[in-house]
Amino acid sequence: MGASRKDRAIARRTFLGFAAVFTTAGVVGTITTDNAKARTAFDDALTAWVVSGAAVDHSAAAFSAAQTDAIAAAAEASTVIEVTDPEMLQDSATLDTLRASLDALVAAGLLTIASPGEVTATTTAPDPRSTPDVPEGREAQLAQAQSLTEDAAHLTETADTSEQSTSELEAATTAALADIDAVVASAAAHGAAVEVPSLASQETKDAYAAAVAALGDSAAGSASQRIGAYQQSWTAVQDSQAAAEAAQARGNSGGGDDDVQPTYINGILIANKTYRLPSWYGNGLTGDTLAAFERMRAEAASLGYNLWIASGFRSYATQVKVYNSYASRDGTAAADRYSARPGHSEHQSGLAFDLNTITEAFGYTPEGQWVAANAHRFGFIVRYPQGKEGVTGYIWEPWHLRYLGVDTATAVYNSGLSLEEYLGITSVYS
């Protein structure tokens, strides 16, 4: 007998109940799977974002390290260019090549050269990235995953660009250093080939030979220091030759200014507008002066300051040329404010020299300020202080140092006076 109508109705309701349960379970399962996929997409995107961010940090650190090396190379290259006389090179084109490589280095390293030896770099601000929180909801997670994926792609591109910039900067630094070496080698070749004047003193000849040899010894100082010493030693040779020729011309006859004698006041040799030296006086920087300078240079170098002698001893004959050139160009009145007439120059005394760059700007550089505050500790004074032209006869020359010995230099420094004021003497041409 077939099922009753009541039984069929019960079976139908039971089937619909099971169907509803299965349908609900299926929907819930689908939602759960989609949520898991969204969270996985977010987690994967976050991982890729963190990795690409780390690559940016690594590449930025590498570029910063390369910048540090580039700054040092650019400082030395700019100084070499500043101090090198092209006529003292076998091939002056090496200096032009160095200028070009320095320009490339400045561009690649985002550098700025304030003055020779003073280089700064443009730096980027720190990246303010922070790890994002997991957003609530599937749609928000998917949207954030998409944003992180786009950011990761941008960061990867940034890291790649930074790595390329680092490679280019390293190559530019290497090229600049090689070109510095080429200038030094060119100086050494010229120095070895030049014929040393026969009448120059043996002392200046020996010093010149030592300076030429030192060009090939990196332990003898920086490239700019070695080139500066080499050029200075050659100037001393020429000055010695000129002095010997002048002595020969006089024929030791007792003529000319042989009756003029060096003037000492309180044991200090004086060469200014009132007191002059005989034309035969002087034969290079004195040993005490050079030794004191080396002590000062070494301490300055240990503190990061670079000092070199730009102009040292000048003979009477050389001063004739120097002064006449200035007087011809600017007139006697103007030349007398910054250049000494022959016989009146401290450079002829062998106790004075000019440092680094012969401009007032030197007084505002870290080197110039350190020298002004510390030179007396090594026996030097800034010979022509600022605001003392009416007493010394010369404009402010922060680059011009005079050796007096530590005790006297310290006494003059502490007095705040110029040497003329300290000794109570004048400096006026008669």
Side-chain angles (χ1 to χ4, degrees):
M1 179 177 179
S4 67
R5 179 181 297 174
K6 181 178 179 181
D7 291 337
R8 288 196 299 273
I10 291 172
R12 184 171 181 276
R13 285 197 300 272
T14 301
F15 172 77
L16 292 175
F18 281 128
V21 169
F22 289 138
T23 299
T24 300
V27 170
V28 170
T30 298
I31 292 173
T32 300
T33 299
D34 289 346
N35 287 343
K37 289 180 178 179
R39 177 56 188 269
T40 298
F42 171 81
D43 290 342
D44 291 344
L46 179 60
T47 298
W49 180 82
V50 170
V51 170
S52 60
V56 168
D57 294 339
H58 177 76
S59 62
F63 184 79
S64 179
Q67 256 191 341
T68 299
D69 293 338
I71 289 172
E76 180 63 358
S78 61
T79 303
V80 167
I81 290 170
E82 173 72 12
V83 304
T84 302
D85 180 355
E87 294 184 0
M88 296 294 287
L89 302 177
Q90 184 181 60
D91 180 9
S92 62
T94 56
L95 204 57
D96 295 330
T97 301
L98 179 57
R99 289 190 182 94
S101 65
L102 177 58
D103 289 342
L105 181 60
V106 166
L110 306 178
L111 308 180
T112 299
I113 299 179
S115 62
E118 294 186 43
V119 183
T120 57
T122 300
T123 57
T124 56
D127 193 324
R129 294 190 308 272
S130 60
T131 303
D133 295 329
V134 180
E136 295 292 336
R138 182 179 65 220
E139 296 302 324
Q141 290 174 1
L142 290 173
Q144 183 70 301
Q146 178 63 30
S147 178
L148 288 174
T149 298
E150 293 172 356
D151 286 348
H154 174 69
L155 290 170
T156 298
E157 181 180 352
T158 299
D160 291 342
T161 299
S162 182
E163 289 178 0
Q164 179 63 31
S165 297
T166 299
S167 296
E168 293 173 356
L169 180 54
E170 291 173 341
T173 300
T174 299
L177 292 174
D179 290 337
I180 289 172
D181 289 342
V183 172
V184 174
S186 183
H190 179 275
V194 73
E195 183 177 353
V196 179
S198 60
L199 296 180
S201 70
Q202 191 59 47
E203 181 183 1
T204 60
K205 291 178 181 178
D206 290 344
Y208 176 71
V212 172
L215 286 169
D217 181 8
S218 60
S222 67
S224 58
Q225 290 169 339
R226 284 177 282 152
I227 289 175
Y230 152 65
Q231 294 177 163
Q232 177 63 32
S233 67
W234 177 248
T235 298
V237 166
Q238 290 182 307
D239 288 345
S240 179
Q241 175 74 9
E245 290 174 348
Q248 280 189 343
R250 289 194 302 271
N252 298 318
S253 63
D257 63 1
D258 282 359
D259 58 326
V260 175
Q261 295 299 317
T263 300
Y264 290 84
I265 298 177
N266 293 348
I268 299 172
L269 178 65
I270 302 298
N272 66 8
K273 291 183 176 181
T274 299
Y275 305 94
R276 74 181 181 91
L277 298 170
S279 62
W280 48 262
Y281 189 91
N283 193 25
L285 290 175
T286 69
D288 288 343
T289 302
L290 286 172
F293 168 72
E294 282 303 314
R295 289 192 293 272
M296 182 173 68
R297 184 200 61 75
E299 181 171 316
S302 72
L303 299 173
Y305 304 121
N306 187 19
L307 300 179
W308 67 90
I309 295 177
S311 180
F313 173 77
R314 289 203 295 269
S315 68
Y316 184 97
T318 298
Q319 193 65 25
V320 169
K321 300 174 184 177
V322 170
Y323 178 81
N324 287 347
S325 174
Y326 289 140
S328 175
R329 185 189 68 186
D330 299 332
T332 300
D336 281 343
R337 296 184 64 207
Y338 61 83
S339 181
R341 296 178 186 177
H344 295 270
S345 172
E346 277 205 330
H347 285 276
Q348 190 185 339
S349 72
L351 298 168
F353 51 78
D354 296 334
L355 286 172
N356 293 32
T357 52
I358 304 175
T359 66
E360 287 189 0
F362 175 70
Y364 299 104
T365 65
E367 282 80 3
Q369 293 173 354
W370 185 85
V371 165
N374 293 278
H376 64 281
R377 297 193 296 107
F378 303 91
F380 298 103
I381 61 169
V382 176
R383 181 64 176 86
Y384 307 118
Q386 194 169 23
K388 299 289 187 177
E389 182 177 355
V391 181
T392 65
Y394 296 101
I395 61 173
W396 177 42
E397 294 188 0
W399 63 85
H400 182 107
L401 297 190
R402 162 66 193 270
Y403 181 72
L404 295 174
V406 174
D407 292 343
T408 303
T410 300
V412 174
Y413 174 81
N414 289 336
S415 74
L417 304 174
S418 66
L419 186 58
E420 279 75 14
E421 291 170 312
Y422 182 81
L423 295 175
I425 61 176
T426 63
S427 179
V428 180
Y429 287 128
S430 58

mmCIF file of all heavy atoms in Angstrom, residues 236-259:
data_model
loop_
_atom_site.group_PDB
_atom_site.id
_atom_site.type_symbol
_atom_site.label_atom_id
_atom_site.label_comp_id
_atom_site.label_asym_id
_atom_site.label_seq_id
_atom_site.Cartn_x
_atom_site.Cartn_y
_atom_site.Cartn_z
ATOM 1 N N ALA A 236 112.532 77.737 -5.202
ATOM 2 C CA ALA A 236 113.724 77.988 -4.395
ATOM 3 C C ALA A 236 114.989 77.832 -5.232
ATOM 4 O O ALA A 236 115.949 78.604 -5.087
ATOM 5 C CB ALA A 236 113.756 77.034 -3.209
ATOM 6 N N VAL A 237 115.009 76.846 -6.126
ATOM 7 C CA VAL A 237 116.162 76.648 -7.010
ATOM 8 C C VAL A 237 116.342 77.864 -7.918
ATOM 9 O O VAL A 237 117.456 78.388 -8.076
ATOM 10 C CB VAL A 237 115.982 75.375 -7.866
ATOM 11 C CG1 VAL A 237 117.000 75.343 -9.014
ATOM 12 C CG2 VAL A 237 116.139 74.133 -7.003
ATOM 13 N N GLN A 238 115.237 78.327 -8.494
ATOM 14 C CA GLN A 238 115.321 79.478 -9.391
ATOM 15 C C GLN A 238 115.756 80.737 -8.646
ATOM 16 O O GLN A 238 116.557 81.533 -9.167
ATOM 17 C CB GLN A 238 113.963 79.707 -10.057
ATOM 18 C CG GLN A 238 113.582 78.637 -11.059
ATOM 19 C CD GLN A 238 112.259 78.941 -11.728
ATOM 20 O OE1 GLN A 238 111.256 79.168 -11.058
ATOM 21 N NE2 GLN A 238 112.255 78.973 -13.048
ATOM 22 N N ASP A 239 115.208 80.917 -7.452
ATOM 23 C CA ASP A 239 115.592 82.089 -6.664
ATOM 24 C C ASP A 239 117.076 82.041 -6.297
ATOM 25 O O ASP A 239 117.779 83.068 -6.318
ATOM 26 C CB ASP A 239 114.742 82.170 -5.396
ATOM 27 C CG ASP A 239 113.304 82.581 -5.683
ATOM 28 O OD1 ASP A 239 113.049 83.071 -6.795
ATOM 29 O OD2 ASP A 239 112.457 82.405 -4.798
ATOM 30 N N SER A 240 117.546 80.851 -5.950
ATOM 31 C CA SER A 240 118.958 80.701 -5.616
ATOM 32 C C SER A 240 119.833 81.001 -6.832
ATOM 33 O O SER A 240 120.874 81.657 -6.714
ATOM 34 C CB SER A 240 119.218 79.278 -5.118
ATOM 35 O OG SER A 240 120.584 79.094 -4.818
ATOM 36 N N GLN A 241 119.404 80.535 -7.976
ATOM 37 C CA GLN A 241 120.141 80.817 -9.212
ATOM 38 C C GLN A 241 120.181 82.319 -9.491
ATOM 39 O O GLN A 241 121.221 82.870 -9.843
ATOM 40 C CB GLN A 241 119.485 80.076 -10.372
ATOM 41 C CG GLN A 241 120.068 80.360 -11.748
ATOM 42 C CD GLN A 241 121.422 79.703 -11.983
ATOM 43 O OE1 GLN A 241 121.861 78.889 -11.177
ATOM 44 N NE2 GLN A 241 122.074 80.072 -13.075
ATOM 45 N N ALA A 242 119.021 82.979 -9.325
ATOM 46 C CA ALA A 242 118.948 84.420 -9.584
ATOM 47 C C ALA A 242 119.861 85.191 -8.636
ATOM 48 O O ALA A 242 120.531 86.151 -9.031
ATOM 49 C CB ALA A 242 117.512 84.910 -9.446
ATOM 50 N N ALA A 243 119.880 84.763 -7.368
ATOM 51 C CA ALA A 243 120.734 85.435 -6.392
ATOM 52 C C ALA A 243 122.203 85.264 -6.753
ATOM 53 O O ALA A 243 123.006 86.203 -6.638
ATOM 54 C CB ALA A 243 120.463 84.882 -4.995
ATOM 55 N N ALA A 244 122.550 84.055 -7.213
ATOM 56 C CA ALA A 244 123.944 83.803 -7.596
ATOM 57 C C ALA A 244 124.333 84.619 -8.821
ATOM 58 O O ALA A 244 125.447 85.158 -8.905
ATOM 59 C CB ALA A 244 124.141 82.312 -7.871
ATOM 60 N N GLU A 245 123.411 84.735 -9.759
ATOM 61 C CA GLU A 245 123.687 85.534 -10.957
ATOM 62 C C GLU A 245 123.859 87.006 -10.595
ATOM 63 O O GLU A 245 124.731 87.703 -11.160
ATOM 64 C CB GLU A 245 122.559 85.357 -11.967
ATOM 65 C CG GLU A 245 122.521 83.976 -12.607
ATOM 66 C CD GLU A 245 121.303 83.785 -13.500
ATOM 67 O OE1 GLU A 245 120.379 84.636 -13.431
ATOM 68 O OE2 GLU A 245 121.257 82.795 -14.259
ATOM 69 N N ALA A 246 123.022 87.480 -9.664
ATOM 70 C CA ALA A 246 123.126 88.873 -9.237
ATOM 71 C C ALA A 246 124.469 89.118 -8.554
ATOM 72 O O ALA A 246 125.116 90.151 -8.753
ATOM 73 C CB ALA A 246 121.978 89.220 -8.288
ATOM 74 N N ALA A 247 124.905 88.134 -7.751
ATOM 75 C CA ALA A 247 126.190 88.270 -7.075
ATOM 76 C C ALA A 247 127.332 88.291 -8.085
ATOM 77 O O ALA A 247 128.296 89.059 -7.945
ATOM 78 C CB ALA A 247 126.382 87.122 -6.088
ATOM 79 N N GLN A 248 127.211 87.448 -9.119
ATOM 80 C CA GLN A 248 128.230 87.438 -10.167
ATOM 81 C C GLN A 248 128.281 88.774 -10.902
ATOM 82 O O GLN A 248 129.346 89.282 -11.231
ATOM 83 C CB GLN A 248 127.957 86.309 -11.163
ATOM 84 C CG GLN A 248 128.421 84.939 -10.698
ATOM 85 C CD GLN A 248 128.329 83.917 -11.817
ATOM 86 O OE1 GLN A 248 127.651 84.118 -12.832
ATOM 87 N NE2 GLN A 248 129.012 82.787 -11.635
ATOM 88 N N ALA A 249 127.079 89.334 -11.145
ATOM 89 C CA ALA A 249 127.008 90.608 -11.869
ATOM 90 C C ALA A 249 127.666 91.724 -11.067
ATOM 91 O O ALA A 249 128.315 92.613 -11.622
ATOM 92 C CB ALA A 249 125.559 90.965 -12.166
ATOM 93 N N ARG A 250 127.507 91.659 -9.756
ATOM 94 C CA ARG A 250 128.151 92.669 -8.923
ATOM 95 C C ARG A 250 129.659 92.467 -8.871
ATOM 96 O O ARG A 250 130.427 93.388 -8.569
ATOM 97 C CB ARG A 250 127.601 92.612 -7.494
ATOM 98 C CG ARG A 250 126.177 93.117 -7.332
ATOM 99 C CD ARG A 250 125.836 93.357 -5.872
ATOM 100 N NE ARG A 250 126.006 92.165 -5.066
ATOM 101 C CZ ARG A 250 125.055 91.256 -4.861
ATOM 102 N NH1 ARG A 250 123.881 91.412 -5.437
ATOM 103 N NH2 ARG A 250 125.281 90.202 -4.098
ATOM 104 N N GLY A 251 130.051 91.228 -9.175
ATOM 105 C CA GLY A 251 131.478 90.925 -9.198
ATOM 106 C C GLY A 251 132.148 91.081 -7.854
ATOM 107 O O GLY A 251 133.359 91.296 -7.776
ATOM 108 N N ASN A 252 131.309 90.955 -6.796
ATOM 109 C CA ASN A 252 131.875 91.119 -5.445
ATOM 110 C C ASN A 252 132.692 92.403 -5.321
ATOM 111 O O ASN A 252 133.720 92.456 -4.628
ATOM 112 C CB ASN A 252 132.744 89.902 -5.080
ATOM 113 C CG ASN A 252 131.938 88.628 -5.039
ATOM 114 O OD1 ASN A 252 130.830 88.623 -4.528
ATOM 115 N ND2 ASN A 252 132.486 87.557 -5.592
ATOM 116 N N SER A 253 132.258 93.442 -6.019
ATOM 117 C CA SER A 253 133.019 94.695 -6.036
ATOM 118 C C SER A 253 132.728 95.594 -4.856
ATOM 119 O O SER A 253 133.392 96.605 -4.667
ATOM 120 C CB SER A 253 132.700 95.459 -7.325
ATOM 121 O OG SER A 253 131.321 95.815 -7.342
ATOM 122 N N GLY A 254 131.746 95.228 -4.089
ATOM 123 C CA GLY A 254 131.368 96.092 -2.963
ATOM 124 C C GLY A 254 130.456 97.213 -3.394
ATOM 125 O O GLY A 254 130.125 98.078 -2.605
ATOM 126 N N GLY A 255 130.033 97.201 -4.678
ATOM 127 C CA GLY A 255 129.134 98.242 -5.152
ATOM 128 C C GLY A 255 127.694 97.931 -4.804
ATOM 129 O O GLY A 255 127.400 97.028 -4.042
ATOM 130 N N GLY A 256 126.791 98.651 -5.395
ATOM 131 C CA GLY A 256 125.361 98.427 -5.206
ATOM 132 C C GLY A 256 124.937 98.739 -3.804
ATOM 133 O O GLY A 256 125.306 99.776 -3.250
ATOM 134 N N ASP A 257 124.200 97.784 -3.169
ATOM 135 C CA ASP A 257 123.675 98.068 -1.833
ATOM 136 C C ASP A 257 124.394 97.247 -0.775
ATOM 137 O O ASP A 257 123.851 96.934 0.256
ATOM 138 C CB ASP A 257 122.167 97.795 -1.790
ATOM 139 C CG ASP A 257 121.853 96.320 -2.064
ATOM 140 O OD1 ASP A 257 122.809 95.539 -2.269
ATOM 141 O OD2 ASP A 257 120.673 95.982 -2.060
ATOM 142 N N ASP A 258 125.648 96.898 -1.024
ATOM 143 C CA ASP A 258 126.386 96.099 -0.054
ATOM 144 C C ASP A 258 126.543 96.816 1.282
ATOM 145 O O ASP A 258 126.871 96.199 2.298
ATOM 146 C CB ASP A 258 127.767 95.716 -0.602
ATOM 147 C CG ASP A 258 127.682 94.559 -1.598
ATOM 148 O OD1 ASP A 258 126.564 94.061 -1.833
ATOM 149 O OD2 ASP A 258 128.725 94.191 -2.131
ATOM 150 N N ASP A 259 126.367 98.133 1.283
ATOM 151 C CA ASP A 259 126.489 98.869 2.534
ATOM 152 C C ASP A 259 125.240 98.711 3.404
ATOM 153 O O ASP A 259 125.261 99.044 4.598
ATOM 154 C CB ASP A 259 126.740 100.355 2.261
ATOM 155 C CG ASP A 259 125.632 100.973 1.413
ATOM 156 O OD1 ASP A 259 125.093 100.245 0.552
ATOM 157 O OD2 ASP A 259 125.328 102.158 1.608
#
